[in-house]
Amino acid sequence: MRTDAFDVQRTSPTAGDGDEPPHTSGVDASRDGRRLFQAYVFFFEKLVDVGAP
């Protein structure tokens, strides 16, 4: 069986993968702690504290 980096069975879904956006506006995303980035498109990132090792 061949597997590669694009094997869907090996990926983990993340926020934004669904059909519905996680926020209704950029303001809502900012209030939720997401940061706005501009590249060729705009995207939000949320940093999550996973605790100390």
Side-chain angles (χ1 to χ4, degrees):
M1 180 171 137
R2 180 179 173 252
T3 60
D4 56 33
F6 299 103
D7 186 353
V8 174
Q9 296 175 356
R10 293 177 168 252
T11 63
S12 299
T14 60
D17 286 348
D19 292 336
E20 297 295 321
H23 298 90
T24 57
S25 72
V27 173
D28 288 342
S30 293
R31 288 180 179 151
D32 187 36
R34 297 182 185 268
R35 301 185 301 178
L36 174 64
F37 290 87
Q38 178 183 3
Y40 292 104
V41 295
F42 293 95
F43 63 93
F44 285 93
E45 170 188 69
K46 183 171 185 178
L47 303 177
V48 179
D49 183 8
V50 294

